[in-house]
Amino acid sequence: MTSSHGRGLLHLAAAVDPRPAHDADTPVELARLAERGALDFVTLDAGFAGSGSDAFDDGFAGSGSDAFDDGFAGSGPDAFDDGFAGSGPNVPRSAQDTPDALAVLARAAPVTSRIGLVPTVAAGPVDPCRVPAGIATLDRLSHGRAGWQWRPAGGSAGTSPEYPAVPARQGPPPRPRERREEGPPQGHPVRVVDATDPHGRRIAGRHADVALVSVGSLAQAATVRAELRDAVRESGREAGSLRVLAALTVDLGDGECAAESGWGTFRFGHDRDLGEAGRGARPLYRGGPVDLAELIAAWHDTGVVDGFHLTPAEPRRDLERLVNGTVALLQHRGRFRTFYPGSTLREHLGLSRPTTRHVMTGGAS
C-alpha cells in the first residue's frame, strides 16, 4: 500500500510519557487512544524507571513471578533484578517507587491489539542481557508488536558501541522432529535509535529499523537522511531497511491562534525552520491540529522523512487533539491509514521480517 501522493507510506508515532512520572495508568490509556488513530507505535521513556521483579507484578494477564517462566533463560522473579537502570538494591528508594517503562507497556499489551509498544530501556551494570530478554517476552505477549530503544546505563540512546541482540529462543529447546519457530513473533523486535548525533547515525546504520532525528529544517533533515542512507549502505544492509522519523514536541493547547504566521502553509514546509524546545531538546511546534497536519504532509512530500515521532507537551490534552484533529484530517485527505492492514509492528512500518532461525524439521538434535 503506497501513498496517493507519490511517496511511501506516512508513519506516525507518539510518546506516552505521563505526568507525574509515577502514574502507571496514563500511558496505558494513551496507548489505547493512539491505537484509535492507527498510529504505528507509542514510546515510553526510560526515565519512567522501575525496580526489580515487583515492577512486573500485575503487568499482564497471568501476572506475578510465574508470568515470565519459560519466557527466556533465567526466568522467574529474580530475572529482572538489576536488569534495568532504576532497579536493584543500589538504587535510591525514590527511583524504586516508580514503575518501569517495560512493565507499564506490558500492561498495555493485553488491552491493545495492533499498536506497537516501544519502551526506552537502559541496561543495569550486572547483566545487560536481561534487557533484551525482557523485550523478547514483551514481543511474545503482544504477538509481535514490540520494539525497543536501547540506552546504556548512565548514557544516552545511541552511545552504545553495539546494539544488544534479542535472544533468538524464547522457550526450552525443541525436541527432535518437532517443527517450531524459535524467534520472536516478528523475527526480532523493532530497534529504534536516536540518530540525531553522528555517532547515533552510525549505530542506526548498522542496527536500527527506525531512526529518530531531531532536526529543525528540511535542509538539516535532508543532510541527516543522506548520512543515514550512506551508513546503511556501508553496513551492507538493503536500501529501504530503515525508517526515518523526525522527532518533534507538539503543543496544541492554544489551537491555530497560537501559530506564527505561515506555520502549516506550503511556504512554511519549505522555507521556515521549526522552533526549538530548548537547549538540547527537540524542536517545538506550537499551534493547532490543522497546521500540524499541513506541516507533516509538507515534510513527508519532500521525502526527507518517512514520518514523525511526536511528543505531546501536555500528554492527554495534546494526544487527544493529535488523534482527533491532526490524524483525522490526514486520514480524511488520504494521507494516513484508517486501519492496520497487518498485525505486527514490522508490518505497520513496511519492514521485512528477518529470517527465523532454529527451525527443526526432523532428525536427531
Side-chain angles (χ1 to χ4, degrees), residues 7-8 10 12 213-225 244-248 262-276 283-285 291-310 330 335:
R7 307 255 25 122
L10 171 63
L12 296 175
V213 294
S214 294
V215 289
S217 68
L218 283 170
Q220 185 183 5
T223 299
V224 171
R225 180 76 183 236
V244 180
L245 305 185
L248 181 64
W263 277 46
T265 66
F266 179 85
R267 180 177 178 275
F268 168 75
H270 292 270
D271 297 336
R272 292 282 304 276
D273 290 350
L274 289 166
E276 293 294 333
L284 170 67
Y285 167 85
D291 280 355
L292 179 58
E294 299 289 351
L295 184 159
I296 290 171
W299 278 50
H300 183 248
D301 281 347
T302 67
V304 297
V305 295
D306 299 307
F308 281 78
H309 177 260
L310 303 168
L330 290 168
R335 306 300 299 261

Side-chain angles (χ1 to χ4, degrees), residues 135-227:
I135 296 296
T137 300
L138 176 61
D139 200 44
R140 175 174 56 84
L141 292 168
S142 65
H143 305 290
R145 294 184 286 123
W148 61 322
Q149 185 172 354
W150 169 250
R151 180 174 298 160
S156 61
T159 60
S160 174
E162 292 297 331
Y163 210 100
V166 171
R169 185 171 62 81
Q170 297 188 59
R175 299 184 183 90
R177 295 184 175 83
E178 178 184 4
R179 182 175 181 87
R180 168 180 175 170
E181 284 193 356
E182 293 290 325
Q186 54 181 333
H188 65 67
V190 168
R191 300 170 185 172
V192 180
V193 169
D194 184 342
T196 299
D197 60 54
H199 182 70
R201 292 195 279 279
R202 290 192 295 271
I203 296 295
R206 288 198 299 268
H207 301 291
D209 300 299
V210 176
L212 306 182
V213 294
S214 294
V215 289
S217 68
L218 283 170
Q220 185 183 5
T223 299
V224 171
R225 180 76 183 236
E227 292 179 10

